Amino acid sequence: MARKPVTWYIATPADGIIEMSREAGTPVNLSANVGKVIDHPNPCRNKWYDESRFSYFRMVKRVGEALEDTGIWPITWPVPLWIVEPLGETGNWSQRHYPYRLLSHQIRVIEETDACPALGPCGRDVLNVVQQQIPEQAVRWAADWDADPEGMRQREWNWEQCGGRACASGRRAESVALTMSHARRESAAQTWIEHLARRAVDQALADTDASMYAYSYAYGRAIGHAVAAQHQTRFDAYVLDALRGTGLDSPASAAA
């Protein structure tokens, strides 16, 4: 049976220029070269060593890792995701540690593709949480904290440490989510998701007088909701409710 062809991905900022190539002073624009072959402007002589900031083309075959090591900062959305074909000699830093990554000095740009899978199979749901739900809830989360800091601190500690029959502890849920992201080659996706969630909180609270601790609490709640969306088809309510901090919003939990 013929093996399915491997698809290789590169993520760039909105203008299509590989960020590391820009930083190296030799900008490579993928959007301007769709269907064309691109030779690396300054390839490393010793393969595959970092002789400069941009010594080779870096691509991945696991789309959930496409946002790793892009040089893009600050983390933002949307980002273009490109399907490319490696040409000529290829290499890798370590097949053991980076089996999903490939390095080359020449590529063909095939096309731009949907970037949502770079945030996981449920990437569109993640974006809905980040763009629609978090802005609506962040102000309430911050207000809840500042209205009763000591009470909320106790509730947060209970959530972090104390699981039960109906819901895992917060720390346990965060741990299994991180492990799942690693196992599914979505560590970069989760890192990006967490940054997008924090940024959504910053924007929502920009015109408020929320305290530093309220910001921290809102960050945690936002990240939990976004990561729950990432893994919504992989975990049941026992883990997902813990990630979302469902008990933190429950009056019954506060009285317990």
Side-chain angles (χ1 to χ4, degrees), residues 192-214:
W192 208 272
I193 288 166
E194 291 176 0
H195 279 278
L196 291 176
R198 290 173 65 92
R199 184 182 180 195
V201 170
D202 285 336
Q203 292 173 340
L205 300 183
D207 295 325
T208 72
D209 58 355
S211 69
M212 175 182 67
Y213 296 106

Side-chain angles (χ1 to χ4, degrees), residues 74-125:
I75 285 176
T76 187
W77 195 268
V79 295
L81 184 65
W82 306 90
I83 295 176
V84 300
E85 176 188 359
L87 300 173
E89 185 178 356
T90 60
N92 195 318
W93 299 317
S94 166
Q95 282 294 336
R96 177 182 178 185
H97 298 291
Y98 300 96
Y100 55 88
R101 182 179 288 280
L102 197 69
L103 315 174
S104 77
H105 285 159
Q106 187 181 66
I107 59 172
R108 177 182 286 110
V109 184
I110 306 301
E111 63 181 354
E112 183 178 358
T113 189
D114 180 17
C116 288
L119 298 177
C122 299
R124 293 189 184 280
D125 293 321

Side-chain angles (χ1 to χ4, degrees), residues 79-196:
V79 295
L81 184 65
W82 306 90
I83 295 176
V84 300
E85 176 188 359
L87 300 173
E89 185 178 356
T90 60
N92 195 318
W93 299 317
S94 166
Q95 282 294 336
R96 177 182 178 185
H97 298 291
Y98 300 96
Y100 55 88
R101 182 179 288 280
L102 197 69
L103 315 174
S104 77
H105 285 159
Q106 187 181 66
I107 59 172
R108 177 182 286 110
V109 184
I110 306 301
E111 63 181 354
E112 183 178 358
T113 189
D114 180 17
C116 288
L119 298 177
C122 299
R124 293 189 184 280
D125 293 321
V126 170
L127 290 174
N128 177 264
V129 170
V130 169
Q131 297 170 351
Q132 303 297 326
Q133 298 181 33
I134 291 175
E136 294 177 357
Q137 298 188 62
V139 174
R140 176 175 60 82
W141 291 330
D144 285 348
W145 183 277
D146 282 339
D148 182 17
E150 289 305 315
M152 289 302 299
R153 188 172 289 109
Q154 183 61 48
R155 291 175 68 177
E156 186 177 41
W157 187 92
N158 289 338
W159 165 79
E160 287 179 348
Q161 305 293 333
C162 305
R165 292 185 177 182
C167 188
S169 69
R171 286 192 176 179
R172 175 60 178 167
E174 290 170 349
S175 176
V176 297
L178 192 63
T179 299
M180 179 64 75
S181 290
H182 180 76
R184 296 300 181 97
R185 293 293 182 190
E186 292 177 15
S187 294
Q190 182 168 337
T191 297
W192 208 272
I193 288 166
E194 291 176 0
H195 279 278
L196 291 176

Side-chain angles (χ1 to χ4, degrees), residues 20-65:
M20 290 183 179
S21 73
R22 190 198 323 268
E23 294 172 1
T26 54
V28 174
N29 192 326
L30 301 190
S31 64
N33 288 281
V34 175
K36 300 178 182 178
V37 173
I38 304 177
D39 291 309
H40 195 285
N42 186 27
C44 57
R45 295 179 180 273
N46 297 304
K47 301 171 182 175
W48 300 92
Y49 289 90
D50 288 312
E51 297 175 351
S52 70
R53 178 63 171 155
F54 181 54
S55 295
Y56 37 74
F57 293 112
R58 312 170 185 221
M59 62 209 83
V60 298
K61 63 181 177 181
R62 300 300 294 266
V63 69
E65 300 291 0

